[in-house]
Amino acid sequence: MLISDSIPLLWLSYAVLSLVVLGTGYLGLAFLPRLPRLVITWAVAGVMWVPSSFSTPLNDQGDAYTGMAPAVVVAGLAFLEKDGGTMASALLLVAVAAALGGLLGLLLWRRGRGAKRHSNGDSQGDRTGTTSRADRGRDDKTRREPVVG
């Protein structure tokens, strides 16, 4: 059951809160163009969502608890505990996840640009490739009058 088991509830609340943070972060970066906004947002998403395993001692007899947590949290706790091995592996996961997230943001930006190009090229000349050089050089913001004949 979801409510009686605290670990799935913890992961669920982390997922919901991370989506809120990513949404507000994306909207907060509205002053940036779309490319850096998407790359930054997805890089942060990669940092926030990559999991890592950890182990922490429970008592003096040598008992330890092992589990999964976000890699950035594991890296922060390993830094506080001065555990270099755990911190190195967690930071490597964080760096790889940030790079993959940034790459995914770049791919989303390219996909959005391709869809805009296809939706703007509605004329028959654009589809067949027979537009004149003057028409291709013309800015879309200028008004084009219809030509009869």
Side-chain angles (χ1 to χ4, degrees):
M1 190 170 181
L2 181 65
I3 301 300
S4 65
D5 195 6
S6 64
I7 296 298
L9 186 62
L10 178 68
W11 278 105
L12 181 66
S13 61
Y14 183 79
V16 169
L17 287 175
S18 68
L19 288 174
V20 169
V21 167
L22 286 174
T24 57
Y26 181 79
L27 294 175
L29 294 174
F31 63 92
L32 291 175
R34 191 168 184 220
L35 172 63
R37 191 175 358 150
L38 282 173
V39 170
I40 291 170
T41 302
W42 281 98
V44 170
V47 167
M48 289 174 61
W49 290 344
V50 65
S52 179
S53 62
F54 70 96
S55 179
T56 185
L58 291 175
N59 53 25
D60 293 336
Q61 285 83 18
D63 295 335
Y65 175 77
T66 58
M68 298 288 285
V72 69
V73 173
V74 173
L77 290 176
F79 174 75
L80 293 176
E81 293 176 354
K82 296 181 173 109
D83 185 6
T86 305
M87 188 172 73
S89 65
L91 284 178
L92 180 65
L93 282 172
V94 166
V96 168
L100 287 176
L103 184 64
L104 182 63
L106 180 68
L107 291 174
L108 285 172
W109 174 74
R110 296 237 355 191
R111 182 176 175 215
R113 274 188 66 194
K116 276 186 185 176
R117 273 193 204 153
H118 292 304
S119 67
N120 286 345
D122 289 338
S123 70
Q124 180 68 23
D126 287 342
R127 280 182 286 204
T128 60
T130 59
T131 55
S132 69
R133 193 172 268 195
D135 286 340
R136 274 185 263 140
R138 190 179 301 160
D139 192 11
D140 285 336
K141 294 180 186 199
T142 61
R143 182 175 172 176
R144 291 189 233 168
E145 295 293 330
V147 178
V148 178

